[in-house]
Amino acid sequence: MGVSFNQVHDKYACVRRSPTEKTMEFFCKTADFNQVKNDTAVAFVSLDKQLDAWTQQLDDACQGDIARLVKNGDLKTEAGSYIWLHPSDKKFARLLLVATGNSQAISEKDARKIIEVVAKNLNASATQSAAIHLDGLNVENRNSEWLSHTLSTQLEYANYRYTTTKPSIKSLPSLTKITLSHSDKTEFNNLKKGMESGLALAKGINIARELGNLPGNICTPTYLAEQAQALAEGNKKLTVKILNTADMKKLGMGSLLSVAAGSNEPPKLIVMEYKGKTTKAPNVIVGKGITFDAGGISLKPGPGMDEMKFDMCGAASVLGVMNTLVAQNAPVHVVAIIAAAENMPSGTATKPGDVVTSMSGQTIEILNTDAEGRLVLCDALTYAERFKPKSVVDIATLTGACVIALGNHASGLFSNNQELADKLLAAGTDTHDRAWQMPLWDDYQKGLDTPFADMANVGGREGGSITAACFLARYTKKYPWAHLDIAGTAWQSGANRGASGRPVALLTHYLLNNA
Ligand code: BES
Ligand code: MN
Ligand code: ZN
């Protein structure tokens, strides 16, 4: 008796997943270790000194196995070391023991490492239902709500497999049920709260991954618009407006339209307004949604060109964030704008040297049709003015130069407002979805000078991510603005290529904390 048992999350639902795929259910529970029955148990143990009370209790439950494993050197003491046990005890078929490295509070960095070990191993094992006992895991400056949030997010993250166009995939996890448990009854509400926010976040992240992973022949601008409409269906707090080519012509979006000129796929400007609270000024997020970037007439080289299907990952992150806010019924006012188009070469495509007029009235000489991200974003950023925004953040796989500068760990951050930049940097640090600030000095602006228009769309190879940001800065003078270049962080290249879902966590954290 006195055991709290509550299901806080019904079914995981993604934009597209194969009908054969299993979904995971999450529960939290406050009970003693012995009371939770599942086929797998996970426990955290400190092995640095003498076994603490909790570890001793586990050791007793496994007839002294833990002490023997440590003594024989089979289980290392450092954080993240682990071993699978198959105790004869009938309460569970297997036990995943994870070392914390310290009997006192462990660092957040170690905690993230441990959580990753748990998420990966459970999803790779034959486990169907797992109970994760949090008693032995105490994290410096972080409470059990954080632990529950982070674990739930990472477990869902590790559970995702891309199956939509590969239903034959063999490596689907068997995991269908997770219980987070703690023996301290006062922890129940903390676990539940963390689980709810953690799963809402994971949903947004996995939707962003799925949209990113979908091929360009499925995930078109029209498809992205449909995803936005589907999310708004039946939700009074969310309204969606889709602007088509004719609407954009009327608004004078000559820059955005010039990118779509070579493609048979019609461009879309997707505008979503989520009013979780009826405040004045919304925070606006703007995503680059190039559903395939062939480069246009400035055609990209062949090798690796397939990865330019990921050139809509900014848009995917925006849709992911909106899904998370809706799932959480978040009390925030957010406007999301997606500039969606396909960048292709053809007889109707824009040519190097062509001059177009943007919605702002500024003219642009297009010297390189492969610098198309800034061309779609500038008109979306001008459109954002009508919301009298508190802040505007654009998210874009904008430049290869940013990948050279920062690699795959940090997104590039540029801003005309240091207060906003600091908030985004902090949100990135807090969620481990980190950004690094780059300069946006006027000195870089002259690279965009041309005799034939107000600006050129490229500024040369040097400092390429900065001149791209400088271009956008010319369209964002009327509000606090920041630009996240996610070219290096939005997806992983190579054999294991796939979208990462970044920076959904950063953005969600920022929006929830700055309503
Ligand atoms: N989508 C690309 C940027 C990109 C390239 C992201 C590689 C990730 C990996 C963008 O549209 C682009 O082509 N940028 C050009 C700009 C250049 C022409 C000034 C680039 O980075 O080469
Ligand atoms: Mn390009
Ligand atoms: Zn691009």
Side-chain angles (χ1 to χ4, degrees), residues 284-286 377-378 380-382 384 389-395 398 413-422 424 437-440 445 465-485 510:
V284 178
I285 50 178
V286 180
L377 286 172
C378 70
L381 288 165
T382 301
K390 194 172 153 192
S391 77
V392 177
V393 180
D394 78 71
I395 308 98
L398 205 63
L413 172 69
F414 303 81
S415 182
N416 63 13
N417 182 299
Q418 196 52 41
E419 204 185 317
L420 173 60
D422 288 338
L424 290 163
Q437 191 170 3
M438 304 274 281
L440 191 66
Q445 284 286 357
S465 68
I466 306 171
T467 47
C470 282
F471 180 97
L472 298 177
R474 297 182 181 216
Y475 297 84
T476 52
K477 295 195 167 138
K478 298 197 173 140
Y479 44 68
W481 159 77
H483 157 61
L484 283 166
D485 193 331
Y510 161 71

Side-chain angles (χ1 to χ4, degrees), residues 288 290 292-296 298 300 308 311 343 368-374 397-399:
K288 170 180 172 182
I290 300 297
F292 188 72
D293 180 13
S298 314
K300 284 185 181 294
M308 282 299 116
D311 210 19
N343 188 24
N368 189 324
T369 64
D370 197 11
E372 84 297 338
R374 63 200 79 180
T397 48
L398 205 63
T399 63

Side-chain angles (χ1 to χ4, degrees), residues 101 104 111 144 187 216 259 262 296 319 351 368 411 419 473 487 489 504 509:
Q104 303 307 310
S144 52
E187 293 288 12
V259 173
L319 276 167
K351 306 171 294 298
N368 189 324
S411 303
E419 204 185 317
T489 54
V504 172
H509 198 72

Side-chain angles (χ1 to χ4, degrees), residues 104-120:
Q104 303 307 310
I106 59 167
S107 69
E108 184 177 326
K109 198 174 162 199
D110 279 352
R112 288 192 183 277
K113 193 160 120 193
I114 288 165
I115 287 167
E116 200 183 311
V117 164
V118 173
K120 280 197 176 152

Side-chain angles (χ1 to χ4, degrees), residues 3 57 68 90 93 113 147 156-157 160 172 174 190 197 206 219 272 274 316 359 410 452 467:
V3 175
Q57 189 191 332
R68 272 191 296 278
K90 291 285 171 293
K113 193 160 120 193
L147 195 55
E156 269 288 78
Y157 190 94
Y160 169 82
L172 290 177
S174 51
N190 301 329
S197 64
N206 283 346
C219 187
M272 315 173 75
Y274 175 76
M359 184 181 173
F452 298 112
T467 47

Side-chain angles (χ1 to χ4, degrees), residues 146-340:
W146 179 87
L147 195 55
S148 172
H149 171 97
T150 309
L151 255 168
S152 305
T153 304
Q154 293 309 316
L155 284 161
E156 269 288 78
Y157 190 94
N159 190 243
Y160 169 82
R161 295 289 179 282
Y162 178 78
T163 60
T164 308
T165 50
K166 191 178 178 180
S168 62
I169 183 171
K170 293 276 159 20
S171 61
L172 290 177
S174 51
L175 201 56
T176 55
K177 187 183 161 200
I178 297 278
T179 304
L180 300 187
S181 87
H182 201 290
S183 64
D184 181 353
K185 290 192 181 63
T186 64
E187 293 288 12
F188 182 78
N189 284 330
N190 301 329
L191 294 185
K192 182 171 143 77
K193 253 181 96 181
M195 186 176 277
E196 280 167 349
S197 64
L199 292 176
L201 175 59
K203 182 177 178 180
I205 291 175
N206 283 346
I207 282 171
R209 292 166 79 191
E210 176 73 6
L211 288 170
N213 290 336
L214 284 173
N217 60 330
I218 293 177
C219 187
T220 60
T222 304
Y223 183 88
L224 287 175
E226 286 164 3
Q227 298 313 303
Q229 280 165 327
L231 179 62
E233 214 161 279
N235 191 317
K236 286 202 188 70
K237 293 179 181 170
L238 185 66
T239 50
V240 174
K241 193 161 130 187
I242 311 290
L243 307 193
N244 61 22
T245 303
D247 299 324
M248 289 189 263
K249 265 190 192 142
K250 264 184 229 146
L251 288 165
M253 294 186 165
S255 183
L256 192 158
L257 290 169
S258 76
V259 173
S263 170
N264 290 336
E265 290 294 339
K268 304 283 174 191
L269 190 81
I270 304 163
V271 186
M272 315 173 75
E273 181 162 22
Y274 175 76
K275 269 190 176 163
K277 91 177 181 198
T278 46
T279 45
K280 4 85 209 181
N283 286 311
V284 178
I285 50 178
V286 180
K288 170 180 172 182
I290 300 297
T291 58
F292 188 72
D293 180 13
I297 295 297
S298 314
L299 192 63
K300 284 185 181 294
M305 205 209 269
D306 60 288
E307 292 194 7
M308 282 299 116
K309 73 171 183 178
F310 294 117
D311 210 19
M312 35 57 71
C313 281
S317 75
V318 163
L319 276 167
V321 167
M322 296 312 267
N323 269 275
T324 295
L325 297 178
V326 166
Q328 265 183 289
N329 199 17
V332 295
H333 183 192
V334 174
V335 170
I337 304 173
I338 290 170

